[in-house]
Amino acid sequence: MPLTRSLSVTSLSGLPLWDEEDLPVDDLLLFEVAWEVTNKVGGIYTVIQTKAKITVDEWGENLFMMGPYYEHNFNTQVEQCEPPNPAIKKAMGALNDNGCLVYFGRWLIEGSPYVILFDTGSAAWNLDRWKGDLWDTCGIGLPAHDREANDSLIFGSMVAWFFKELTDELGDSPNVLAHFHEWQVGAGLILCRSRKIPLATIFTTHATLLGRYICAGNVDFYNNLGKFNIDQEAGERQIYHRYCLERAAVHCAHVFTTVSQITAVEANHMLHRKPDVVTPNGLNIKKFSAMHEFQNLHSTNKGPYYVFKFVIQYTVNYITIALTVQTQLSQNDSLSFFPLLSQVHKNDVTVVVFFIMPAKTNNFNVETLKGQAVRKQLWDTAHTVKDKFGKRLYEALLKGDIPDMNTILDRDDFTIMKRAIYATQRHTLPPVTTHNMLDDTSDPILANVRRIGLFNARIDRVKIVFHPEFLSSTSPLLPMDYEEFVRGCHLGVFPSYYEPWGYTPGECTVMGIPSVTTNLSGFGCFMEEHVSDPTAYGIYIVDRRFRSADDSCNQLTQFMFGFCQQSRRQRIIQRNRTERLSDLLDWRYLGRFYMHARSLALSRAFPDKFKMEPLAPPQTEGFRYPRPGSVPPSPSASVHSTPHHSDEEDDDDDEEPYDEDKEAERDRQNIKAPFTLGATPEGKKTHPGESAN
């Protein structure tokens, strides 16, 4: 299906921002409603949490976030306080007086926004009555066995009740704007609109409900969007009631938004409404004061205390040096790019591929813990000998002697070191997975590893480490947070088929780590639009839309093999470029799309007070990063035919010239004429089957 272009955004430092008038926020109240407010379940939590700071900066004390109450989350993430607004306090009191508990406080994240949390358990006795109200209102019935849908109705009914009490108390001023995220909170929007509560509403779908289910069934989804019988598909998957809630919320909202152009096309077919605004997901970009500090962080986190230490202990006596790759694959994503990588024959290079994703396990396996114990023994032995060496050297220098380095360590010291070395000898291969899997025969990753025969043998140039748990700094095996781990890797691989946005490659980008994504992810489409040659900037975009599965897999293989061919200097240059793209993902600029959506919603809900051209996009200047001229656009065009040593290679004298400051300045000056929704810049070619609108 044809993809339209998203609204363009100017996001390089020092460039002019939009010329759109700011809203009179002092005379408005903004409520962001999401199931993941203080409740980390998935990617929407990241959106809400990271966007809070710039929203608080704009709205101040007039921003309130609403979500479900969970006692543990409230006790650990929220500082309870009294509502500063008397009308909000009275509306909460109306619910509390009827036994439906509502809690208020400040969410302890950057920006410290106010939160209003609704205890669905305390109001569950109203469920049957509220089910009847929903049926009478819009003819949607909820089955008793779907607890998530029932909880969403309880939550939505409490939210609608709250807004009714609030608007009755406020009267005509200040006006209320409510932004609902995802179907779980859609019932609240539906009830507010059906009861004619005077507030402006926005509904954002971060991924359509039915799209998730269909793509999980290994279907060519995007090339068959127009062929699905939507009602039948939802009914066969027993989610018709959820689909009806989502679709009703979409059509009830004054403004409908989604996070990417690829999801906008999907929503138009699945939900039968074209999004009014595309609101790309951003991140809070922390700029480092020292030049290339992110390069230093990469080097540090790859050092002995972090990823590299784990690789050494895990594959002790099996590895000399590593290119570390982290990857994320669904059950439908192939692993057949490994055989080509395993053909890398240079003896001093080994590629270590980490799979970090949850699976059913019962504990760490013995071999993994044994490797950790061996590494600790080596570490302790080295420190013991180092301390003894230092003490004897110090004593000799105090006497004014230059010690004989051949005698400063005695025979016992050498014996201890030899024993430590002999203890590292392996009689088995390093395990592929770090945990005992409960169902390893049906696990898609392990099944493919067996099929292609990569068992971490000494001759394998590709080593596999499957870590079937999310990373945590409290883990006894790999004690680091996700950010630390990403910085310690060379490349992130995220070739998902269904990825409405894709935060993982975005997080790699802002940390200066190259990544692989696809043209079916919102992030990949966004980068294709704004970067002339994404590969040169470390964004490898696999074509999973217009190529067959085998062709896409071959393209992914070539991307990864080409990356392995880069010299250390080429990787450093590429990381510099990757980090420069972080400006594109900064909420300070992408947040403007949300501002536009709010203005549009207010103009539709209160046309007498807020004027705006209905179809007018934000005024902004379009831009595209050019292909850098200093380095070939593809690593496969490098002069090197085989991979080089990761850390000890010398810079080649015949390397192409490169000046980071000059290249960055050219990027900043590369401003083109504005282009808006539906327009394709001059010279931009469309893919086969893709129109230019």
Side-chain angles (χ1 to χ4, degrees):
M1 301 304 298
L3 284 177
T4 53
R5 299 182 63 78
S6 66
L7 299 173
S8 297
V9 44
T10 295
S11 66
L12 287 175
S13 303
L15 296 180
L17 297 177
W18 293 340
D19 242 355
E20 189 173 302
E21 292 186 5
D22 293 333
L23 290 171
V25 295
D26 292 338
D27 197 34
L28 293 168
L29 295 178
L30 172 63
F31 295 85
E32 290 229 30
V33 190
W35 197 257
E36 298 196 24
V37 170
T38 74
N39 178 36
K40 188 172 184 178
V41 178
I44 300 172
Y45 178 90
T46 304
V47 177
I48 300 297
Q49 181 196 43
T50 58
K51 186 168 62 67
K53 176 64 167 61
I54 62 123
T55 313
V56 169
D57 290 344
E58 180 190 3
W59 288 81
E61 301 286 286
N62 289 354
L63 167 67
F64 304 88
M65 294 187 173
M66 306 172 77
Y69 169 82
Y70 292 99
E71 183 178 6
H72 174 74
N73 294 343
F74 186 80
N75 292 336
T76 57
Q77 299 184 45
V78 179
E79 179 185 13
Q80 190 168 10
C81 63
E82 288 295 316
N85 188 305
I88 291 178
K89 186 174 183 179
K90 186 172 181 179
M92 290 176 55
L95 273 73
N96 286 322
D97 291 344
N98 284 275
C100 301
L101 303 182
V102 186
Y103 297 83
F104 189 91
R106 283 193 180 274
W107 192 4
L108 300 179
I109 59 174
E110 191 173 7
S112 300
Y114 288 125
V115 291
I116 304 172
L117 304 177
F118 298 85
D119 186 353
T120 56
S122 68
W125 55 276
N126 293 290
L127 178 59
D128 289 339
R129 176 167 61 88
W130 286 341
K131 279 187 176 183
D133 291 343
L134 183 67
W135 177 260
D136 294 339
T137 299
C138 54
I140 299 176
L142 303 183
H145 64 79
D146 191 342
R147 180 171 180 177
E148 186 176 7
N150 290 329
D151 285 346
S152 73
L153 175 59
I154 298 172
F155 177 80
S157 299
M158 295 178 74
V159 168
W161 184 1
F162 171 86
F163 279 132
K164 181 66 168 65
E165 298 285 346
L166 177 65
T167 53
D168 287 349
E169 180 68 20
L170 292 174
D172 294 334
S173 181
N175 292 120
V176 175
L177 172 61
H179 189 155
F180 296 81
H181 295 263
E182 280 297 297
W183 74 271
Q184 291 97 328
V185 300
L189 190 156
I190 298 167
L191 294 172
C192 285
R193 295 286 280 149
S194 65
R195 296 169 185 175
K196 295 182 170 55
I197 298 175
L199 75 165
T201 57
I202 303 171
F203 183 80
T204 296
T205 180
H206 297 258
T208 69
L209 186 65
L210 194 53
R212 291 191 184 102
Y213 275 83
I214 293 176
C215 286
N218 197 20
V219 174
D220 187 6
F221 179 65
Y222 291 101
N223 291 318
N224 292 282
L225 281 174
K227 301 176 182 178
F228 291 111
N229 183 326
I230 306 303
D231 292 335
Q232 179 181 343
E233 295 286 349
E236 289 177 351
R237 290 165 174 78
Q238 300 183 17
I239 58 166
Y240 187 72
H241 55 288
R242 296 187 181 192
Y243 164 72
C244 289
L245 283 175
E246 180 182 43
R247 182 169 170 179
V250 166
H251 286 269
C252 286
H254 291 101
V255 170
F256 172 44
T257 78
T258 189
V259 298
S260 64
Q261 282 298 335
I262 193 72
T263 311
V265 174
E266 172 189 340
N268 194 25
H269 285 82
M270 297 289 108
L271 302 172
H272 299 289
R273 180 177 177 181
K274 182 179 180 180
D276 300 290
V277 184
V278 173
T279 53
N281 290 336
L283 290 162
N284 284 332
I285 308 302
K286 177 185 176 182
K287 291 299 180 183
F288 301 106
S289 56
M291 183 65 71
H292 305 312
E293 185 175 338
F294 73 95
Q295 295 276 12
N296 298 333
L297 286 170
H298 166 77
S299 177
T300 301
N301 287 328
K302 195 184 64 178
Y305 293 94
Y306 293 91
V307 176
F308 196 67
K309 180 183 74 174
F310 176 82
V311 170
I312 292 298
Q313 76 181 40
Y314 195 81
T315 59
V316 63
N317 270 353
Y318 272 76
I319 183 171
T320 304
I321 198 67
L323 281 173
T324 48
V325 177
Q326 60 139 336
T327 187
Q328 168 183 303
L329 296 169
S330 71
Q331 293 186 6
N332 300 325
D333 298 322
S334 174
L335 301 185
S336 57
F337 52 83
F338 284 128
L340 181 55
L341 281 180
S342 66
Q343 296 172 16
V344 179
H345 291 304
K346 193 170 179 67
N347 292 331
D348 61 352
V349 173
T350 298
V351 177
V352 179
V353 181
F354 286 87
F355 291 93
I356 309 292
M357 61 191 69
K360 293 182 179 180
T361 65
N362 60 15
N363 212 331
F364 301 111
N365 63 44
V366 174
E367 285 299 316
T368 301
L369 296 176
K370 186 183 297 183
Q372 188 180 41
V374 169
R375 193 276 313 164
K376 186 178 185 304
Q377 181 183 0
L378 280 174
W379 184 259
D380 293 343
T381 299
H383 273 267
T384 300
V385 175
K386 182 192 72 173
D387 292 342
K388 189 179 296 186
F389 180 93
K391 181 180 179 181
R392 292 172 182 172
L393 177 62
Y394 174 70
E395 291 172 349
L397 294 176
L398 280 178
K399 298 175 183 177
D401 298 332
I402 300 297
D404 183 355
M405 295 301 173
N406 294 321
T407 60
I408 199 168
L409 293 179
D410 57 30
R411 189 170 182 176
D412 289 341
D413 297 326
F414 285 100
T415 300
I416 293 174
M417 289 188 287
K418 288 178 181 178
R419 287 179 60 184
I421 293 173
Y422 291 157
T424 66
Q425 302 301 312
R426 278 188 180 273
H427 302 289
T428 60
L429 299 178
V432 169
T433 179
T434 58
H435 293 59
N436 294 323
M437 304 288 290
L438 290 181
D439 192 12
D440 64 346
T441 57
S442 62
D443 184 85
I445 293 179
L446 296 181
N448 278 279
V449 167
R450 295 186 188 100
R451 178 176 60 83
I452 60 181
L454 282 181
F455 300 113
N456 293 339
R458 187 183 299 274
I459 61 172
D460 291 335
R461 295 273 62 82
V462 176
K463 305 288 194 259
I464 307 294
V465 180
F466 180 20
H467 187 277
E469 284 185 353
F470 288 129
L471 296 171
S472 170
S473 58
T474 60
S475 169
L477 183 64
L478 194 55
M480 64 180 71
D481 293 326
Y482 180 72
E483 179 178 340
E484 295 174 324
F485 178 77
V486 170
R487 290 194 184 279
C489 292
H490 294 86
L491 179 70
V493 184
F494 313 101
S496 304
Y497 181 83
Y498 187 76
E499 196 71 72
W501 176 251
Y503 257 122
T504 43
E507 289 165 338
C508 285
T509 300
V510 301
M511 288 185 273
I513 304 299
S515 62
V516 178
T517 182
T518 77
N519 61 352
L520 290 181
S521 72
F523 173 84
C525 293
F526 184 81
M527 284 300 174
E528 276 190 321
E529 177 177 343
H530 292 294
V531 183
S532 294
D533 186 359
T535 301
Y537 284 87
I539 309 295
Y540 300 88
I541 301 176
V542 177
D543 185 355
R544 296 201 65 175
R545 190 173 188 208
F546 301 108
R547 295 192 181 197
S548 67
D550 288 341
D551 288 344
S552 297
C553 196
N554 290 334
Q555 185 184 25
L556 174 58
T557 303
Q558 291 302 323
F559 280 155
M560 297 184 69
F561 187 73
F563 182 84
C564 293
Q565 289 181 294
Q566 288 183 331
S567 67
R568 181 169 181 253
R569 181 175 185 272
Q570 287 174 314
R571 292 198 303 273
I572 290 174
I573 292 172
Q574 189 179 58
R575 285 199 297 269
N576 289 337
R577 293 200 186 97
T578 302
E579 195 273 340
R580 285 211 305 275
L581 295 183
S582 62
D583 282 326
L584 281 169
L585 305 174
D586 199 327
W587 271 126
R588 291 178 300 165
Y589 304 100
L590 296 183
R592 293 279 176 163
F593 290 102
Y594 280 86
M595 297 177 189
H596 177 66
R598 294 174 197 134
S599 298
L600 187 57
L602 287 167
S603 69
R604 291 177 177 177
F606 309 108
D608 296 336
K609 297 181 66 173
F610 300 92
K611 303 294 184 182
M612 183 178 181
E613 291 295 328
L615 299 177
Q619 297 300 311
T620 181
E621 294 181 357
F623 71 95
R624 281 172 61 80
Y625 283 73
R627 180 177 69 83
S630 60
V631 171
S634 171
S636 60
S638 167
V639 297
H640 305 288
S641 59
T642 57
H644 281 234
H645 196 286
S646 178
D647 290 309
E648 298 178 0
E649 59 200 357
D650 297 327
D651 289 342
D652 295 335
D653 295 334
D654 59 348
E655 288 276 9
E656 52 278 348
Y658 171 75
D659 189 310
E660 165 70 12
D661 295 333
K662 288 182 179 179
E663 194 171 280
E665 182 61 27
R666 282 197 298 272
D667 280 346
R668 294 188 180 95
Q669 294 174 354
N670 187 49
I671 307 301
K672 295 189 176 183
F675 55 89
T676 58
L677 186 65
T680 301
E682 183 179 353
K684 171 67 175 178
K685 297 180 180 179
T686 58
H687 289 291
E690 180 179 354
S691 69
N693 61 344

